[in-house]
Amino acid sequence: LAEMGCFFVKIGQTLAQRPDLVGDEVAEELKELQERNTPFDDSLALRIIAEDLKHEGPLAPGVYQAGCNSMGSPLFKELDPHHVASASLGQVYRA
């Protein structure tokens, strides 16, 4: 399910809570979708953040996403370009 995308991961996570519908064994397997999520590349996430916020400069001093105007003003005072957590629909960064 994880390879099929976040929509299917969410369905699997929901079904993991319903052993009455899928059985105990399947529910236990689906719980893996709640506990293990493969993060996506930080550079992709940083580009998405900049695009969504319509920011063309660096996200923070020294943090440049692909295609940014390095001469522009930073959006954040500081930003750790490495995620601290990941989930099925997103990642968490400290800024």
Side-chain angles (χ1 to χ4, degrees):
L1 289 176
E3 292 177 8
M4 296 173 70
C6 60
F7 175 76
F8 292 97
V9 169
K10 281 300 186 191
I11 290 174
Q13 289 173 335
T14 301
L15 289 174
Q17 301 301 310
R18 297 298 309 267
D20 58 313
L21 296 177
V22 296
D24 291 335
E25 190 173 322
V26 172
E28 283 301 313
E29 285 293 318
L30 291 173
K31 285 183 182 179
E32 296 276 327
L33 296 171
Q34 296 173 325
E35 299 167 359
R36 292 191 178 99
N37 291 291
T38 304
F40 52 91
D41 191 83
D42 288 320
S43 63
L44 173 61
L46 296 177
R47 193 184 70 204
I48 291 170
I49 292 168
E51 287 175 5
D52 284 355
L53 297 175
K54 297 178 179 23
H55 186 71
E56 295 179 3
L59 289 175
V63 181
Y64 303 98
Q65 69 282 4
C68 84
N69 173 1
S70 62
M71 300 305 290
S73 60
L75 182 63
F76 300 106
K77 182 177 177 181
E78 51 186 69
L79 170 71
D80 183 345
H82 305 289
H83 65 276
V84 294
S86 66
S88 58
L89 295 178
Q91 291 182 175
V92 178
Y93 292 84
R94 291 190 182 164

